[in-house]
């Protein structure tokens, strides 16, 4: 029992160090306002408390689990298993969309917006724009819907910032449609439908690889007849943060009936 207590103490302290360490990496790399970064700070705090409890119980020769009634231990175990399965299911769905290859000559692509700093696209948005530029140049008959409104810290809409970039890369203005009212993925896909010639056209969704599954799933729920993912790359340093955040987003949208 003493050996098990030592293992659990090491386990919680290790997870605490990993979580808090990753939080420091995120804020050092992307700043204090980095999306979802505080999750790792909170998670590290939870592991810290568990590590302290294990340390306290070991020093007093008390088996920590004996402090809780049987019903509480069973309930906590079942809840943990349920959450783990839910999270793994969402992660599996996300992974299924990360390697999808779209067909050529789609009628439209919808480029989903992401954070703009003033008028400058964020790193995540630049990666989406690189993928959109590449597809548009290889498929000259495809029209692009640039979808994204204006949020805090943005002096132009995300759609406008995307338009400026693509125009600077030689993409003709007549191939670009501007949807500048949306504030999230569901609105991106919903509002972009107004720019399609009819409901049976073929559509590609351009977004970072971790986000492809949800973008396509939302589109299918909204009635897109032919819809495909076009994965853009992601920042490898922030990829774990993105994947965990996206897993929660998939679960939330599934519960809300958006996918």
């Amino acid at each position: 029992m003493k050996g098990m207590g030592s293992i659990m103490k090491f386990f919680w302290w290790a997870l605490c160090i990993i979580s808090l360490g990753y939080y420091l990496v995120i804020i050092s790399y992307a700043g204090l306002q980095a999306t979802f970064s505080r999750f790792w700070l909170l998670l590290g705090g939870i592991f810290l408390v568990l590590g302290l409890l294990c340390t306290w119980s070991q020093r007093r020769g008390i088996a920590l689990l004996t402090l809780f009634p049987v019903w509480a231990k069973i309930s906590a175990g079942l809840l943990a298993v349920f959450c783990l399965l839910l999270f793994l299911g969402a992660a599996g769905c996300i992974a299924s969309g990360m390697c999808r290859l779209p067909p050529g000559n789609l009628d439209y692509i919808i480029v989903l917006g992401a954070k703009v700093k003033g008028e400058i696209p964020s790193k995540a948005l630049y990666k989406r724009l690189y993928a959109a530029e590449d597809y548009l140049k290889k498929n000259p008959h495809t029209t692009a819907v640039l979808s994204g409104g204006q949020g805090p810290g943005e002096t132009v809409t995300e759609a406008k910032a995307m338009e400026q970039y693509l125009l600077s890369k030689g993409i003709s203005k007549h191939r670009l449609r501007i949807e500048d009212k949306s504030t999230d993925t569901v609105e991106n896909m919903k509002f972009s439908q107004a720019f399609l010639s009819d409901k049976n056209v073929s559509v590609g969704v351009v977004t970072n690889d971790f986000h492809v599954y949800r973008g396509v799933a939302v589109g299918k729920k909204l009635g897109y007849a032919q819809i495909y993912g076009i994965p853009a790359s992601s920042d490898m340093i922030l990829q774990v943060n993105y994947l965990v955040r996206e897993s929660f987003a998939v679960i939330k949208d599934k519960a809300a009936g958006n996918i």
Side-chain angles (χ1 to χ4, degrees):
M1 188 63 71
K2 184 177 180 180
M4 180 59 71
S6 297
I7 292 172
M8 291 304 298
K9 181 177 72 172
F10 174 80
F11 179 72
W12 295 126
W13 280 112
L15 289 178
C16 172
I17 293 170
I18 291 170
S19 298
L20 295 179
Y22 190 49
Y23 170 74
L24 292 175
V25 168
I26 292 172
I27 63 173
S28 298
Y29 181 74
L32 286 170
Q33 301 305 315
T35 304
F36 203 67
S37 62
R38 292 177 185 175
F39 168 80
W40 300 99
L41 182 62
L42 174 62
L43 194 64
I46 292 172
F47 291 143
L48 173 63
V49 171
L50 291 170
L52 290 172
L53 282 172
C54 282
T55 302
W56 172 84
S57 65
Q58 191 175 41
R59 286 178 178 175
R60 285 160 178 73
I62 302 171
L64 188 60
L65 289 178
T66 62
L67 300 176
F68 302 95
V70 174
W71 68 265
K73 289 184 282 188
I74 293 175
S75 298
L78 290 174
L79 180 61
V81 170
F82 173 76
C83 291
L84 179 61
L85 292 175
L86 197 63
F87 184 82
L88 290 176
C93 290
I94 293 167
S96 72
M98 294 179 71
C99 300
R100 292 178 177 172
L101 295 176
N105 297 312
L106 293 171
D107 296 311
Y108 294 87
I109 59 172
I110 298 174
V111 190
L112 303 188
K115 183 69 177 176
V116 171
K117 300 173 182 178
E119 296 185 10
I120 308 300
S122 60
K123 292 179 181 178
L125 185 53
Y126 265 127
K127 291 180 183 297
R128 299 180 190 191
L129 288 169
Y130 299 154
E133 176 192 354
D134 181 65
Y135 191 90
L136 290 169
K137 287 182 175 178
K138 290 178 179 177
N139 300 275
H141 299 295
T142 299
T143 297
V145 180
L146 312 178
S147 180
Q150 186 172 346
E154 299 176 339
T155 57
V156 298
T157 65
E158 293 165 8
K160 184 64 176 178
M162 289 190 280
E163 181 190 39
Q164 290 172 348
Y165 172 86
L166 291 172
L167 289 175
S168 73
K169 297 301 179 179
I171 304 300
S172 174
K173 189 176 180 66
H174 84 269
R175 299 179 65 195
L176 305 178
R177 307 289 183 270
I178 304 300
E179 184 290 293
D180 57 4
K181 305 299 181 185
S182 56
T183 60
D184 58 30
T185 303
V186 175
E187 289 185 353
N188 285 149
M189 299 306 297
K190 184 177 181 180
F191 297 167
S192 293
Q193 284 181 305
F195 296 88
L196 309 183
S197 55
D198 65 70
K199 65 179 182 180
N200 295 315
V201 295
S202 57
V203 177
V205 181
V206 182
T207 187
N208 302 103
D209 51 12
F210 63 85
H211 190 218
V212 168
Y213 168 77
R214 188 156 59 99
V216 172
V218 168
K220 288 180 178 178
K221 187 72 173 183
L222 289 169
Y224 284 76
Q226 301 181 67
I227 187 166
Y228 307 89
I230 303 179
S233 61
S234 300
D235 192 306
M236 294 308 297
I237 293 176
L238 300 176
Q239 185 75 317
V240 173
N241 184 56
Y242 290 147
L243 290 171
V244 174
R245 182 190 68 182
E246 187 66 13
S247 294
F248 283 114
V250 167
I251 293 168
K252 182 195 74 171
D253 274 343
K254 184 65 176 177
N258 294 326
I259 59 178

